[in-house]
């Protein structure tokens, strides 16, 4: 119950945070274990570009922070996580509300920990892809994020 309440508070916090709020995106769901987040990006006067479709900056801004945040929350304080690189491919103009679903599996978390702890690698780059789709499932944009992960020696012990 407490974790469910906490995840709802994080959702509200994202939606109220000025930097995120100005993208036009809205977080609709945060899983209690931080392994799934869902967002929507409505087409309105704040997200519409000159030609009447969803502004590319709003598309990118609405999906930007989530893989990094998910890894920060699931890996814990002994890890340092940073966004390293991003690429966006526009496939079709957005003329309606767009949706995105971010997921990270238990296997992905275990693989990151294993690579950093067991194999002795100093850092890892992980690549994640998310599609922005309309209500019918048509892909309008694909964003590929590269996230850098390392252990923080000052916090580990």
């Amino acid at each position: 119950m407490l974790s469910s309440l906490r995840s709802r508070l994080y959702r509200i916090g994202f939606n109220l945070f000025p930097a995120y709020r100005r993208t036009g995106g809205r977080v609709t769901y945060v899983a209690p274990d931080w392994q799934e987040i869902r967002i929507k990006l409505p087409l309105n006067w704040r997200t519409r570009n000159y030609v009447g479709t969803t502004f590319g900056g709003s598309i990118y801004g609405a999906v930007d922070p989530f893989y990094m945040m998910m890894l920060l929350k699931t890996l814990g304080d002994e890890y340092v996580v940073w966004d390293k690189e991003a690429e966006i491919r526009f496939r079709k103009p957005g003329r309606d509300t767009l949706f995105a679903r971010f997921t990270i599996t238990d296997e992905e978390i275990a693989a990151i920990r294993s690579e950093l702890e067991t194999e002795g690698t100093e850092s890892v780059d992980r690549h994640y892809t998310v599609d922005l789709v309309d209500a019918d499932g048509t892909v309008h944009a694909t964003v590929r994020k590269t996230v850098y992960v390392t252990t923080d020696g000052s916090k580990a012990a």
Side-chain angles (χ1 to χ4, degrees):
M1 177 78 162
L2 181 61
S3 65
S4 178
L5 174 63
R6 187 172 287 138
S7 68
R8 276 186 258 153
L9 291 173
Y10 274 114
R11 177 180 54 82
I12 292 166
F14 266 117
N15 290 330
L16 292 176
F17 184 65
Y20 188 73
R21 186 170 181 76
R22 290 184 185 118
T23 70
R26 294 294 169 261
V27 177
T28 60
Y29 176 75
V30 176
D33 64 1
W34 280 86
Q35 289 184 276
E36 181 181 357
I37 292 178
R38 292 181 228 142
I39 63 119
K40 71 177 181 178
L41 179 62
L43 178 64
N44 58 37
W45 68 273
R46 293 176 47 194
T47 61
R48 185 175 291 126
N49 64 18
Y50 182 75
V51 294
T53 61
T54 306
F55 174 58
S58 291
I59 290 173
Y60 179 72
V63 302
D64 177 44
F66 295 109
Y67 281 116
M68 184 185 86
M69 287 295 299
M70 293 166 77
L71 288 173
L72 281 167
K73 292 294 189 180
T74 56
L75 288 170
D77 290 340
E78 61 272 8
Y79 294 87
V80 175
V81 182
W82 287 99
D83 279 329
K84 185 173 183 179
E85 186 176 285
E87 175 184 321
I88 188 167
R89 181 169 184 175
F90 299 104
R91 299 183 179 275
K92 186 175 182 179
R95 300 186 193 282
D96 288 307
T97 297
L98 301 178
F99 303 89
R101 180 175 173 254
F102 307 83
T103 59
I104 294 180
T105 64
D106 289 332
E107 293 78 17
E108 172 68 4
I109 300 301
I112 292 169
R113 286 189 171 127
S114 174
E115 194 168 337
L116 288 171
E117 296 167 6
T118 310
E119 298 175 24
T121 305
E122 186 175 306
S123 66
V124 296
D125 288 345
R126 303 306 277 196
H127 306 282
Y128 302 99
T129 302
V130 64
D131 290 326
L132 283 103
V133 301
D134 61 20
D136 296 329
T138 302
V139 176
H140 291 264
T142 300
V143 177
R144 183 174 186 262
K145 299 279 296 190
T146 301
V147 181
Y148 167 89
V149 183
T150 190
T151 56
D152 182 358
S154 68
K155 291 182 183 175

